[in-house]
């Protein structure tokens, strides 16, 4: 099993999750940044992880999925979204997380599995504008507003369970 994990990450948390998955997945795993022109032909399994910034996934993600839709549908393709909204119970799965739900509806892509993970709040690393805007968003959503803090909301046990589900998915598809 040859797996490609592509990630789109603004502040590095999605990349960190993608790299964490490599140790948990069976077979050969390659991790790389998402590019529109990435050739996925040589891979049995493709996992795409993407983060939300100001309410949107990067536009390249939509273009990649649209141009590779048929190929993704023929492979064991999986998706995970990363956002701070997922820190809240009830907003942490693909059916209830508005960003992932709308993305999958818009692109009409039906990955074999999908998940949502909470990201990280890294105030000291943000540029001034981002720090102020994210602080404002966190204030209106009941989140942390202390700009001296860095908080990792990612539930690593949930990521482990996702990896186990991916491994089981591939085993069950061999017998279908």
């Amino acid at each position: 099993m040859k797996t490609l994990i592509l990630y789109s990450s603004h502040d590095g948390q999605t990349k960190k999750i993608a790299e964490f998955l490599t140790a948990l997945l069976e077979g050969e795993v390659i991790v790389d940044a998402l590019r529109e022109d990435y050739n996925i032909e040589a891979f049995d399994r493709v996992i795409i992880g993407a983060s939300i910034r100001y309410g949107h996934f990067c536009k390249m993600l939509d273009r990649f999925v649209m141009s590779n839709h048929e190929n993704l549908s023929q492979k064991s393709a999986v998706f995970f979204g990363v956002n701070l909204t997922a820190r809240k119970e009830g907003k942490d799965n693909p059916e209830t997380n508005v960003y992932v739900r709308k993305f999958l509806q818009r692109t009409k892509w039906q990955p074999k599995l999908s998940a949502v993970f909470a990201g990280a709040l890294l105030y000291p690393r943000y540029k001034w504008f981002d720090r102020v805007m994210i602080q404002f968003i966190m204030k209106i959503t009941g989140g942390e507003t202390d700009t001296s803090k860095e908080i990792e909301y990612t539930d690593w046990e949930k990521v482990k369970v996702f990896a186990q589900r991916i491994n089981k998915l591939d085993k069950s598809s061999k017998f279908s």
Side-chain angles (χ1 to χ4, degrees), residues 94-139:
E95 295 78 30
T96 61
N97 187 275
V98 67
Y99 304 117
V100 171
R101 189 178 72 241
K102 286 184 176 183
F103 166 72
L104 294 174
Q105 288 171 346
R106 182 177 64 251
T107 61
K108 296 182 176 42
W109 177 35
Q110 299 203 338
K112 302 284 190 251
L113 284 176
S114 56
V116 178
F117 304 118
L121 186 59
L122 307 171
Y123 281 123
R125 301 183 203 187
Y126 301 148
K127 293 178 182 170
W128 178 84
F129 179 79
D130 288 333
R131 188 171 36 253
V132 170
M133 291 303 293
I134 293 169
Q135 182 185 37
F136 175 71
I137 292 165
M138 294 301 283
K139 183 175 180 137

Side-chain angles (χ1 to χ4, degrees), residues 10-34:
H10 195 277
D11 296 313
Q13 194 67 13
T14 305
K15 179 182 180 185
K16 188 174 179 179
I17 293 168
E19 290 171 344
F20 183 80
L21 284 170
T22 62
L24 304 171
L25 297 173
E26 296 169 358
E28 179 185 352
V29 182
I30 295 171
V31 178
D32 207 349
L34 177 69

Side-chain angles (χ1 to χ4, degrees), residues 30-66:
I30 295 171
V31 178
D32 207 349
L34 177 69
R35 295 189 323 264
E36 253 181 277
D37 63 346
Y38 215 105
N39 185 348
I40 62 174
E41 286 292 326
F43 298 92
D44 305 301
R45 177 169 55 193
V46 177
I47 300 169
I48 301 172
S51 63
I52 290 291
R53 187 63 158 208
Y54 298 128
H56 301 281
F57 290 112
C58 75
K59 293 187 185 311
M60 183 188 349
L61 173 65
D62 282 34
R63 292 189 301 264
F64 179 84
V65 168
M66 295 295 199

